[in-house]
Amino acid sequence: MEERKGFGSTFGFLMAAVGSAVGLGNIWGFPNKMGANGGFTFLIIYLILAALCGFVVMVGELALGRKTGRGVVSAYQVLSKKFKWLGWLGIIAPFLILSFYCALGGYCIKYVVLNVGNIFGAGFGNNGLASGEVFGNMLTNQLESVVYGLIFVLLTLIIVMGGVSSGIEKFCSIGMPCLFFMLVIVIIRACTLPGAVDGLKYMFVPGWAVEHGVIEKAPSIITVLSNAGGQMFFSLSLGMGIMITYGSYLDKKQNIEKNALVIVICDTLIALMAGLAVMPARFALDPEGSLGGPSLLFVTMQNVFHNMPLGSLFGILFYLLVVFAAISSSISLLEVIVAHFCDKAREKGKGDKRKAYSLIAAAAVG
Ligand code: PFF
């Protein structure tokens, strides 16, 4: 049987796993949820849940993957034949998430292109289009959305086709440090804007959002708990077979607890950093703008860059880092699906057929 190739180094594995965890959820989910759910109180609850549930489930998923050395369906099947259907849920859920990820990832690519265009005199500021209008047009212009979505799927496909170590690991080992540095630059710019301090208060000071009328009333503790819990599982890419699949590529010498801890810490750190990039800028330059969901990314943030000196340059940096975050998550989602079928083909002695299965899965998503 053909050998199952895994990650080449611990750093590469960590970057791939952190890459999966760091995604759109960190950038438009976390900062707003934190602000609307009691700021610092939310953060403490999130951290407790991440330590008590997230870390434990992460260790469990990585261990299950490493122990079985199989993709998600076979990993559950090894535990018991009765659990095989659970593994299939781990194929269906990533497939569904991937579809919406590709649509949003495509929009991010378009915003990079628009900001590049703006530097050369064609785009937002110069033709007088407000970013809300650009976003609205984009939603109604289905052909354009499909084309950008397909470009995103194609990029995801090329990386997954390259294999675990020469595709996923290579992309994430370069992409994640780049994302980090781009984020630091955007944070410095955002936090030095006049009025930025309100964004920090919104995120960190308990009760500030209610006192200043940003939200109507404080959510109940049950709402805070469920928001923090949901955000934590989504942000850490848990329960979708991702960490089982990535764990299956680890060798026996790896310290799973240490790796899981690094993933949880990095993901939370990047979520907080994303908040420091987004919220201060929003409160400083677009105080009426949306605080969450896609319109935070595609309307509010573009307004922010429009109102900022050298805004297009920061716009390119920001949307590029969002594209990196989105691609590193979408490749993990596609890999879960591809890994399962490659394992099956390998067991039947047909080689791993990675290229063919990547193509079929990506075409189905497209
Ligand atoms: N963790 C990613 C984010 O925060 O955006 C999203 C995600 C990726 C969720 C992979 C689930 C998953 F399996």
mmCIF file with all atom_site columns, all heavy atoms in Angstrom, residues 263-290:
data_model
loop_
_atom_site.group_PDB
_atom_site.id
_atom_site.type_symbol
_atom_site.label_atom_id
_atom_site.label_alt_id
_atom_site.label_comp_id
_atom_site.label_asym_id
_atom_site.label_entity_id
_atom_site.label_seq_id
_atom_site.pdbx_PDB_ins_code
_atom_site.Cartn_x
_atom_site.Cartn_y
_atom_site.Cartn_z
_atom_site.occupancy
_atom_site.B_iso_or_equiv
_atom_site.pdbx_formal_charge
_atom_site.auth_seq_id
_atom_site.auth_comp_id
_atom_site.auth_asym_id
_atom_site.auth_atom_id
_atom_site.pdbx_PDB_model_num
ATOM 1   N N   . ILE A 1 263 ? -2.184  25.775 19.861 1.00 0.00 ? 263 ILE A N   1
ATOM 2   C CA  . ILE A 1 263 ? -3.254  26.119 18.905 1.00 0.00 ? 263 ILE A CA  1
ATOM 3   C C   . ILE A 1 263 ? -4.306  27.001 19.590 1.00 0.00 ? 263 ILE A C   1
ATOM 4   O O   . ILE A 1 263 ? -4.713  28.035 19.050 1.00 0.00 ? 263 ILE A O   1
ATOM 5   C CB  . ILE A 1 263 ? -3.919  24.843 18.329 1.00 0.00 ? 263 ILE A CB  1
ATOM 6   C CG1 . ILE A 1 263 ? -2.885  23.987 17.593 1.00 0.00 ? 263 ILE A CG1 1
ATOM 7   C CG2 . ILE A 1 263 ? -5.056  25.207 17.372 1.00 0.00 ? 263 ILE A CG2 1
ATOM 8   C CD1 . ILE A 1 263 ? -3.356  22.575 17.274 1.00 0.00 ? 263 ILE A CD1 1
ATOM 9   N N   . VAL A 1 264 ? -4.720  26.608 20.810 1.00 0.00 ? 264 VAL A N   1
ATOM 10  C CA  . VAL A 1 264 ? -5.753  27.373 21.520 1.00 0.00 ? 264 VAL A CA  1
ATOM 11  C C   . VAL A 1 264 ? -5.246  28.791 21.826 1.00 0.00 ? 264 VAL A C   1
ATOM 12  O O   . VAL A 1 264 ? -5.956  29.785 21.598 1.00 0.00 ? 264 VAL A O   1
ATOM 13  C CB  . VAL A 1 264 ? -6.175  26.655 22.835 1.00 0.00 ? 264 VAL A CB  1
ATOM 14  C CG1 . VAL A 1 264 ? -7.134  27.514 23.639 1.00 0.00 ? 264 VAL A CG1 1
ATOM 15  C CG2 . VAL A 1 264 ? -6.822  25.308 22.521 1.00 0.00 ? 264 VAL A CG2 1
ATOM 16  N N   . ILE A 1 265 ? -4.006  28.895 22.296 1.00 0.00 ? 265 ILE A N   1
ATOM 17  C CA  . ILE A 1 265 ? -3.473  30.221 22.646 1.00 0.00 ? 265 ILE A CA  1
ATOM 18  C C   . ILE A 1 265 ? -3.350  31.106 21.392 1.00 0.00 ? 265 ILE A C   1
ATOM 19  O O   . ILE A 1 265 ? -3.771  32.260 21.383 1.00 0.00 ? 265 ILE A O   1
ATOM 20  C CB  . ILE A 1 265 ? -2.107  30.089 23.360 1.00 0.00 ? 265 ILE A CB  1
ATOM 21  C CG1 . ILE A 1 265 ? -2.317  29.474 24.749 1.00 0.00 ? 265 ILE A CG1 1
ATOM 22  C CG2 . ILE A 1 265 ? -1.414  31.448 23.487 1.00 0.00 ? 265 ILE A CG2 1
ATOM 23  C CD1 . ILE A 1 265 ? -1.054  29.175 25.518 1.00 0.00 ? 265 ILE A CD1 1
ATOM 24  N N   . CYS A 1 266 ? -2.788  30.543 20.321 1.00 0.00 ? 266 CYS A N   1
ATOM 25  C CA  . CYS A 1 266 ? -2.601  31.359 19.099 1.00 0.00 ? 266 CYS A CA  1
ATOM 26  C C   . CYS A 1 266 ? -3.949  31.819 18.546 1.00 0.00 ? 266 CYS A C   1
ATOM 27  O O   . CYS A 1 266 ? -4.101  32.972 18.129 1.00 0.00 ? 266 CYS A O   1
ATOM 28  C CB  . CYS A 1 266 ? -1.875  30.573 18.010 1.00 0.00 ? 266 CYS A CB  1
ATOM 29  S SG  . CYS A 1 266 ? -0.157  30.344 18.364 1.00 0.00 ? 266 CYS A SG  1
ATOM 30  N N   . ASP A 1 267 ? -4.932  30.915 18.531 1.00 0.00 ? 267 ASP A N   1
ATOM 31  C CA  . ASP A 1 267 ? -6.232  31.280 17.965 1.00 0.00 ? 267 ASP A CA  1
ATOM 32  C C   . ASP A 1 267 ? -6.865  32.419 18.773 1.00 0.00 ? 267 ASP A C   1
ATOM 33  O O   . ASP A 1 267 ? -7.397  33.377 18.203 1.00 0.00 ? 267 ASP A O   1
ATOM 34  C CB  . ASP A 1 267 ? -7.161  30.052 17.963 1.00 0.00 ? 267 ASP A CB  1
ATOM 35  C CG  . ASP A 1 267 ? -8.510  30.378 17.341 1.00 0.00 ? 267 ASP A CG  1
ATOM 36  O OD1 . ASP A 1 267 ? -8.529  30.755 16.161 1.00 0.00 ? 267 ASP A OD1 1
ATOM 37  O OD2 . ASP A 1 267 ? -9.538  30.280 18.045 1.00 0.00 ? 267 ASP A OD2 1
ATOM 38  N N   . THR A 1 268 ? -6.768  32.329 20.110 1.00 0.00 ? 268 THR A N   1
ATOM 39  C CA  . THR A 1 268 ? -7.379  33.364 20.950 1.00 0.00 ? 268 THR A CA  1
ATOM 40  C C   . THR A 1 268 ? -6.622  34.685 20.792 1.00 0.00 ? 268 THR A C   1
ATOM 41  O O   . THR A 1 268 ? -7.225  35.762 20.710 1.00 0.00 ? 268 THR A O   1
ATOM 42  C CB  . THR A 1 268 ? -7.362  32.912 22.432 1.00 0.00 ? 268 THR A CB  1
ATOM 43  O OG1 . THR A 1 268 ? -7.901  31.592 22.502 1.00 0.00 ? 268 THR A OG1 1
ATOM 44  C CG2 . THR A 1 268 ? -8.197  33.827 23.300 1.00 0.00 ? 268 THR A CG2 1
ATOM 45  N N   . LEU A 1 269 ? -5.293  34.574 20.720 1.00 0.00 ? 269 LEU A N   1
ATOM 46  C CA  . LEU A 1 269 ? -4.480  35.780 20.546 1.00 0.00 ? 269 LEU A CA  1
ATOM 47  C C   . LEU A 1 269 ? -4.834  36.496 19.240 1.00 0.00 ? 269 LEU A C   1
ATOM 48  O O   . LEU A 1 269 ? -5.026  37.724 19.207 1.00 0.00 ? 269 LEU A O   1
ATOM 49  C CB  . LEU A 1 269 ? -2.990  35.375 20.546 1.00 0.00 ? 269 LEU A CB  1
ATOM 50  C CG  . LEU A 1 269 ? -2.009  36.520 20.463 1.00 0.00 ? 269 LEU A CG  1
ATOM 51  C CD1 . LEU A 1 269 ? -1.992  37.262 21.795 1.00 0.00 ? 269 LEU A CD1 1
ATOM 52  C CD2 . LEU A 1 269 ? -0.599  36.012 20.158 1.00 0.00 ? 269 LEU A CD2 1
ATOM 53  N N   . ILE A 1 270 ? -4.963  35.726 18.156 1.00 0.00 ? 270 ILE A N   1
ATOM 54  C CA  . ILE A 1 270 ? -5.275  36.357 16.866 1.00 0.00 ? 270 ILE A CA  1
ATOM 55  C C   . ILE A 1 270 ? -6.685  36.947 16.881 1.00 0.00 ? 270 ILE A C   1
ATOM 56  O O   . ILE A 1 270 ? -6.938  38.007 16.308 1.00 0.00 ? 270 ILE A O   1
ATOM 57  C CB  . ILE A 1 270 ? -5.126  35.355 15.689 1.00 0.00 ? 270 ILE A CB  1
ATOM 58  C CG1 . ILE A 1 270 ? -3.709  34.815 15.620 1.00 0.00 ? 270 ILE A CG1 1
ATOM 59  C CG2 . ILE A 1 270 ? -5.541  36.001 14.367 1.00 0.00 ? 270 ILE A CG2 1
ATOM 60  C CD1 . ILE A 1 270 ? -2.708  35.638 14.876 1.00 0.00 ? 270 ILE A CD1 1
ATOM 61  N N   . ALA A 1 271 ? -7.618  36.283 17.592 1.00 0.00 ? 271 ALA A N   1
ATOM 62  C CA  . ALA A 1 271 ? -8.980  36.838 17.678 1.00 0.00 ? 271 ALA A CA  1
ATOM 63  C C   . ALA A 1 271 ? -8.938  38.189 18.393 1.00 0.00 ? 271 ALA A C   1
ATOM 64  O O   . ALA A 1 271 ? -9.564  39.160 17.948 1.00 0.00 ? 271 ALA A O   1
ATOM 65  C CB  . ALA A 1 271 ? -9.898  35.865 18.418 1.00 0.00 ? 271 ALA A CB  1
ATOM 66  N N   . LEU A 1 272 ? -8.171  38.260 19.480 1.00 0.00 ? 272 LEU A N   1
ATOM 67  C CA  . LEU A 1 272 ? -8.060  39.532 20.211 1.00 0.00 ? 272 LEU A CA  1
ATOM 68  C C   . LEU A 1 272 ? -7.376  40.590 19.346 1.00 0.00 ? 272 LEU A C   1
ATOM 69  O O   . LEU A 1 272 ? -7.776  41.754 19.302 1.00 0.00 ? 272 LEU A O   1
ATOM 70  C CB  . LEU A 1 272 ? -7.243  39.326 21.494 1.00 0.00 ? 272 LEU A CB  1
ATOM 71  C CG  . LEU A 1 272 ? -8.024  38.750 22.668 1.00 0.00 ? 272 LEU A CG  1
ATOM 72  C CD1 . LEU A 1 272 ? -7.084  38.336 23.791 1.00 0.00 ? 272 LEU A CD1 1
ATOM 73  C CD2 . LEU A 1 272 ? -9.039  39.781 23.192 1.00 0.00 ? 272 LEU A CD2 1
ATOM 74  N N   . MET A 1 273 ? -6.325  40.156 18.642 1.00 0.00 ? 273 MET A N   1
ATOM 75  C CA  . MET A 1 273 ? -5.617  41.103 17.767 1.00 0.00 ? 273 MET A CA  1
ATOM 76  C C   . MET A 1 273 ? -6.533  41.601 16.651 1.00 0.00 ? 273 MET A C   1
ATOM 77  O O   . MET A 1 273 ? -6.502  42.785 16.286 1.00 0.00 ? 273 MET A O   1
ATOM 78  C CB  . MET A 1 273 ? -4.366  40.460 17.175 1.00 0.00 ? 273 MET A CB  1
ATOM 79  C CG  . MET A 1 273 ? -3.263  40.251 18.203 1.00 0.00 ? 273 MET A CG  1
ATOM 80  S SD  . MET A 1 273 ? -1.881  39.316 17.537 1.00 0.00 ? 273 MET A SD  1
ATOM 81  C CE  . MET A 1 273 ? -1.190  40.453 16.357 1.00 0.00 ? 273 MET A CE  1
ATOM 82  N N   . ALA A 1 274 ? -7.358  40.695 16.109 1.00 0.00 ? 274 ALA A N   1
ATOM 83  C CA  . ALA A 1 274 ? -8.297  41.117 15.056 1.00 0.00 ? 274 ALA A CA  1
ATOM 84  C C   . ALA A 1 274 ? -9.228  42.187 15.618 1.00 0.00 ? 274 ALA A C   1
ATOM 85  O O   . ALA A 1 274 ? -9.552  43.173 14.951 1.00 0.00 ? 274 ALA A O   1
ATOM 86  C CB  . ALA A 1 274 ? -9.090  39.926 14.539 1.00 0.00 ? 274 ALA A CB  1
ATOM 87  N N   . GLY A 1 275 ? -9.635  41.996 16.877 1.00 0.00 ? 275 GLY A N   1
ATOM 88  C CA  . GLY A 1 275 ? -10.483 43.005 17.531 1.00 0.00 ? 275 GLY A CA  1
ATOM 89  C C   . GLY A 1 275 ? -9.772  44.346 17.621 1.00 0.00 ? 275 GLY A C   1
ATOM 90  O O   . GLY A 1 275 ? -10.377 45.403 17.381 1.00 0.00 ? 275 GLY A O   1
ATOM 91  N N   . LEU A 1 276 ? -8.486  44.308 17.931 1.00 0.00 ? 276 LEU A N   1
ATOM 92  C CA  . LEU A 1 276 ? -7.727  45.557 18.052 1.00 0.00 ? 276 LEU A CA  1
ATOM 93  C C   . LEU A 1 276 ? -7.531  46.232 16.693 1.00 0.00 ? 276 LEU A C   1
ATOM 94  O O   . LEU A 1 276 ? -7.260  47.431 16.602 1.00 0.00 ? 276 LEU A O   1
ATOM 95  C CB  . LEU A 1 276 ? -6.343  45.294 18.671 1.00 0.00 ? 276 LEU A CB  1
ATOM 96  C CG  . LEU A 1 276 ? -6.333  44.730 20.088 1.00 0.00 ? 276 LEU A CG  1
ATOM 97  C CD1 . LEU A 1 276 ? -4.905  44.587 20.596 1.00 0.00 ? 276 LEU A CD1 1
ATOM 98  C CD2 . LEU A 1 276 ? -7.135  45.621 21.028 1.00 0.00 ? 276 LEU A CD2 1
ATOM 99  N N   . ALA A 1 277 ? -7.645  45.445 15.629 1.00 0.00 ? 277 ALA A N   1
ATOM 100 C CA  . ALA A 1 277 ? -7.515  46.039 14.288 1.00 0.00 ? 277 ALA A CA  1
ATOM 101 C C   . ALA A 1 277 ? -8.850  46.615 13.820 1.00 0.00 ? 277 ALA A C   1
ATOM 102 O O   . ALA A 1 277 ? -8.898  47.659 13.168 1.00 0.00 ? 277 ALA A O   1
ATOM 103 C CB  . ALA A 1 277 ? -7.035  44.981 13.295 1.00 0.00 ? 277 ALA A CB  1
ATOM 104 N N   . VAL A 1 278 ? -9.935  45.924 14.174 1.00 0.00 ? 278 VAL A N   1
ATOM 105 C CA  . VAL A 1 278 ? -11.230 46.268 13.590 1.00 0.00 ? 278 VAL A CA  1
ATOM 106 C C   . VAL A 1 278 ? -11.997 47.308 14.418 1.00 0.00 ? 278 VAL A C   1
ATOM 107 O O   . VAL A 1 278 ? -12.424 48.344 13.902 1.00 0.00 ? 278 VAL A O   1
ATOM 108 C CB  . VAL A 1 278 ? -12.081 44.975 13.429 1.00 0.00 ? 278 VAL A CB  1
ATOM 109 C CG1 . VAL A 1 278 ? -13.514 45.310 13.073 1.00 0.00 ? 278 VAL A CG1 1
ATOM 110 C CG2 . VAL A 1 278 ? -11.467 44.066 12.375 1.00 0.00 ? 278 VAL A CG2 1
ATOM 111 N N   . MET A 1 279 ? -12.164 47.037 15.724 1.00 0.00 ? 279 MET A N   1
ATOM 112 C CA  . MET A 1 279 ? -13.063 47.883 16.526 1.00 0.00 ? 279 MET A CA  1
ATOM 113 C C   . MET A 1 279 ? -12.584 49.334 16.703 1.00 0.00 ? 279 MET A C   1
ATOM 114 O O   . MET A 1 279 ? -13.372 50.264 16.530 1.00 0.00 ? 279 MET A O   1
ATOM 115 C CB  . MET A 1 279 ? -13.346 47.233 17.886 1.00 0.00 ? 279 MET A CB  1
ATOM 116 C CG  . MET A 1 279 ? -14.266 46.046 17.783 1.00 0.00 ? 279 MET A CG  1
ATOM 117 S SD  . MET A 1 279 ? -15.816 46.511 16.955 1.00 0.00 ? 279 MET A SD  1
ATOM 118 C CE  . MET A 1 279 ? -16.442 44.925 16.474 1.00 0.00 ? 279 MET A CE  1
ATOM 119 N N   . PRO A 1 280 ? -11.303 49.576 17.050 1.00 0.00 ? 280 PRO A N   1
ATOM 120 C CA  . PRO A 1 280 ? -10.879 50.964 17.190 1.00 0.00 ? 280 PRO A CA  1
ATOM 121 C C   . PRO A 1 280 ? -11.081 51.749 15.888 1.00 0.00 ? 280 PRO A C   1
ATOM 122 O O   . PRO A 1 280 ? -11.538 52.898 15.904 1.00 0.00 ? 280 PRO A O   1
ATOM 123 C CB  . PRO A 1 280 ? -9.386  50.855 17.528 1.00 0.00 ? 280 PRO A CB  1
ATOM 124 C CG  . PRO A 1 280 ? -9.246  49.507 18.140 1.00 0.00 ? 280 PRO A CG  1
ATOM 125 C CD  . PRO A 1 280 ? -10.222 48.642 17.416 1.00 0.00 ? 280 PRO A CD  1
ATOM 126 N N   . ALA A 1 281 ? -10.811 51.111 14.747 1.00 0.00 ? 281 ALA A N   1
ATOM 127 C CA  . ALA A 1 281 ? -10.974 51.793 13.464 1.00 0.00 ? 281 ALA A CA  1
ATOM 128 C C   . ALA A 1 281 ? -12.447 52.090 13.209 1.00 0.00 ? 281 ALA A C   1
ATOM 129 O O   . ALA A 1 281 ? -12.818 53.182 12.769 1.00 0.00 ? 281 ALA A O   1
ATOM 130 C CB  . ALA A 1 281 ? -10.400 50.932 12.343 1.00 0.00 ? 281 ALA A CB  1
ATOM 131 N N   . ARG A 1 282 ? -13.287 51.139 13.527 1.00 0.00 ? 282 ARG A N   1
ATOM 132 C CA  . ARG A 1 282 ? -14.729 51.335 13.304 1.00 0.00 ? 282 ARG A CA  1
ATOM 133 C C   . ARG A 1 282 ? -15.256 52.485 14.160 1.00 0.00 ? 282 ARG A C   1
ATOM 134 O O   . ARG A 1 282 ? -15.993 53.345 13.678 1.00 0.00 ? 282 ARG A O   1
ATOM 135 C CB  . ARG A 1 282 ? -15.451 50.005 13.604 1.00 0.00 ? 282 ARG A CB  1
ATOM 136 C CG  . ARG A 1 282 ? -16.963 50.008 13.411 1.00 0.00 ? 282 ARG A CG  1
ATOM 137 C CD  . ARG A 1 282 ? -17.675 50.435 14.654 1.00 0.00 ? 282 ARG A CD  1
ATOM 138 N NE  . ARG A 1 282 ? -19.115 50.419 14.558 1.00 0.00 ? 282 ARG A NE  1
ATOM 139 C CZ  . ARG A 1 282 ? -19.887 51.150 15.367 1.00 0.00 ? 282 ARG A CZ  1
ATOM 140 N NH1 . ARG A 1 282 ? -19.346 51.947 16.253 1.00 0.00 ? 282 ARG A NH1 1
ATOM 141 N NH2 . ARG A 1 282 ? -21.186 51.083 15.271 1.00 0.00 ? 282 ARG A NH2 1
ATOM 142 N N   . PHE A 1 283 ? -14.877 52.536 15.440 1.00 0.00 ? 283 PHE A N   1
ATOM 143 C CA  . PHE A 1 283 ? -15.385 53.603 16.308 1.00 0.00 ? 283 PHE A CA  1
ATOM 144 C C   . PHE A 1 283 ? -14.792 54.960 15.936 1.00 0.00 ? 283 PHE A C   1
ATOM 145 O O   . PHE A 1 283 ? -15.419 55.995 16.120 1.00 0.00 ? 283 PHE A O   1
ATOM 146 C CB  . PHE A 1 283 ? -15.120 53.271 17.790 1.00 0.00 ? 283 PHE A CB  1
ATOM 147 C CG  . PHE A 1 283 ? -16.179 52.373 18.369 1.00 0.00 ? 283 PHE A CG  1
ATOM 148 C CD1 . PHE A 1 283 ? -16.096 50.991 18.236 1.00 0.00 ? 283 PHE A CD1 1
ATOM 149 C CD2 . PHE A 1 283 ? -17.294 52.897 19.010 1.00 0.00 ? 283 PHE A CD2 1
ATOM 150 C CE1 . PHE A 1 283 ? -17.084 50.164 18.741 1.00 0.00 ? 283 PHE A CE1 1
ATOM 151 C CE2 . PHE A 1 283 ? -18.298 52.075 19.522 1.00 0.00 ? 283 PHE A CE2 1
ATOM 152 C CZ  . PHE A 1 283 ? -18.191 50.703 19.386 1.00 0.00 ? 283 PHE A CZ  1
ATOM 153 N N   . ALA A 1 284 ? -13.562 54.943 15.402 1.00 0.00 ? 284 ALA A N   1
ATOM 154 C CA  . ALA A 1 284 ? -12.930 56.208 15.044 1.00 0.00 ? 284 ALA A CA  1
ATOM 155 C C   . ALA A 1 284 ? -13.466 56.761 13.731 1.00 0.00 ? 284 ALA A C   1
ATOM 156 O O   . ALA A 1 284 ? -13.752 57.954 13.618 1.00 0.00 ? 284 ALA A O   1
ATOM 157 C CB  . ALA A 1 284 ? -11.417 56.013 14.940 1.00 0.00 ? 284 ALA A CB  1
ATOM 158 N N   . LEU A 1 285 ? -13.647 55.898 12.734 1.00 0.00 ? 285 LEU A N   1
ATOM 159 C CA  . LEU A 1 285 ? -13.920 56.425 11.389 1.00 0.00 ? 285 LEU A CA  1
ATOM 160 C C   . LEU A 1 285 ? -15.299 56.096 10.815 1.00 0.00 ? 285 LEU A C   1
ATOM 161 O O   . LEU A 1 285 ? -15.698 56.667 9.814  1.00 0.00 ? 285 LEU A O   1
ATOM 162 C CB  . LEU A 1 285 ? -12.829 55.937 10.418 1.00 0.00 ? 285 LEU A CB  1
ATOM 163 C CG  . LEU A 1 285 ? -11.418 56.462 10.697 1.00 0.00 ? 285 LEU A CG  1
ATOM 164 C CD1 . LEU A 1 285 ? -10.436 55.902 9.688  1.00 0.00 ? 285 LEU A CD1 1
ATOM 165 C CD2 . LEU A 1 285 ? -11.384 57.977 10.664 1.00 0.00 ? 285 LEU A CD2 1
ATOM 166 N N   . ASP A 1 286 ? -16.017 55.161 11.418 1.00 0.00 ? 286 ASP A N   1
ATOM 167 C CA  . ASP A 1 286 ? -17.367 54.886 10.930 1.00 0.00 ? 286 ASP A CA  1
ATOM 168 C C   . ASP A 1 286 ? -18.258 54.517 12.111 1.00 0.00 ? 286 ASP A C   1
ATOM 169 O O   . ASP A 1 286 ? -18.741 53.386 12.223 1.00 0.00 ? 286 ASP A O   1
ATOM 170 C CB  . ASP A 1 286 ? -17.339 53.741 9.886  1.00 0.00 ? 286 ASP A CB  1
ATOM 171 C CG  . ASP A 1 286 ? -18.684 53.605 9.176  1.00 0.00 ? 286 ASP A CG  1
ATOM 172 O OD1 . ASP A 1 286 ? -19.525 54.521 9.302  1.00 0.00 ? 286 ASP A OD1 1
ATOM 173 O OD2 . ASP A 1 286 ? -18.894 52.581 8.502  1.00 0.00 ? 286 ASP A OD2 1
ATOM 174 N N   . PRO A 1 287 ? -18.480 55.495 13.024 1.00 0.00 ? 287 PRO A N   1
ATOM 175 C CA  . PRO A 1 287 ? -19.146 55.181 14.297 1.00 0.00 ? 287 PRO A CA  1
ATOM 176 C C   . PRO A 1 287 ? -20.570 54.652 14.144 1.00 0.00 ? 287 PRO A C   1
ATOM 177 O O   . PRO A 1 287 ? -21.085 54.029 15.058 1.00 0.00 ? 287 PRO A O   1
ATOM 178 C CB  . PRO A 1 287 ? -19.152 56.513 15.056 1.00 0.00 ? 287 PRO A CB  1
ATOM 179 C CG  . PRO A 1 287 ? -18.406 57.483 14.238 1.00 0.00 ? 287 PRO A CG  1
ATOM 180 C CD  . PRO A 1 287 ? -18.107 56.897 12.909 1.00 0.00 ? 287 PRO A CD  1
ATOM 181 N N   . GLU A 1 288 ? -21.182 54.903 12.973 1.00 0.00 ? 288 GLU A N   1
ATOM 182 C CA  . GLU A 1 288 ? -22.544 54.384 12.777 1.00 0.00 ? 288 GLU A CA  1
ATOM 183 C C   . GLU A 1 288 ? -22.515 53.009 12.125 1.00 0.00 ? 288 GLU A C   1
ATOM 184 O O   . GLU A 1 288 ? -23.550 52.366 11.965 1.00 0.00 ? 288 GLU A O   1
ATOM 185 C CB  . GLU A 1 288 ? -23.364 55.333 11.877 1.00 0.00 ? 288 GLU A CB  1
ATOM 186 C CG  . GLU A 1 288 ? -23.525 56.757 12.418 1.00 0.00 ? 288 GLU A CG  1
ATOM 187 C CD  . GLU A 1 288 ? -24.254 56.777 13.754 1.00 0.00 ? 288 GLU A CD  1
ATOM 188 O OE1 . GLU A 1 288 ? -25.301 56.124 13.854 1.00 0.00 ? 288 GLU A OE1 1
ATOM 189 O OE2 . GLU A 1 288 ? -23.745 57.410 14.700 1.00 0.00 ? 288 GLU A OE2 1
ATOM 190 N N   . GLY A 1 289 ? -21.337 52.577 11.694 1.00 0.00 ? 289 GLY A N   1
ATOM 191 C CA  . GLY A 1 289 ? -21.239 51.360 10.879 1.00 0.00 ? 289 GLY A CA  1
ATOM 192 C C   . GLY A 1 289 ? -21.612 50.094 11.627 1.00 0.00 ? 289 GLY A C   1
ATOM 193 O O   . GLY A 1 289 ? -21.656 50.059 12.854 1.00 0.00 ? 289 GLY A O   1
ATOM 194 N N   . SER A 1 290 ? -21.875 49.039 10.833 1.00 0.00 ? 290 SER A N   1
ATOM 195 C CA  . SER A 1 290 ? -22.268 47.753 11.408 1.00 0.00 ? 290 SER A CA  1
ATOM 196 C C   . SER A 1 290 ? -21.134 47.187 12.269 1.00 0.00 ? 290 SER A C   1
ATOM 197 O O   . SER A 1 290 ? -19.959 47.393 11.997 1.00 0.00 ? 290 SER A O   1
ATOM 198 C CB  . SER A 1 290 ? -22.586 46.806 10.259 1.00 0.00 ? 290 SER A CB  1
ATOM 199 O OG  . SER A 1 290 ? -22.750 45.528 10.734 1.00 0.00 ? 290 SER A OG  1
#
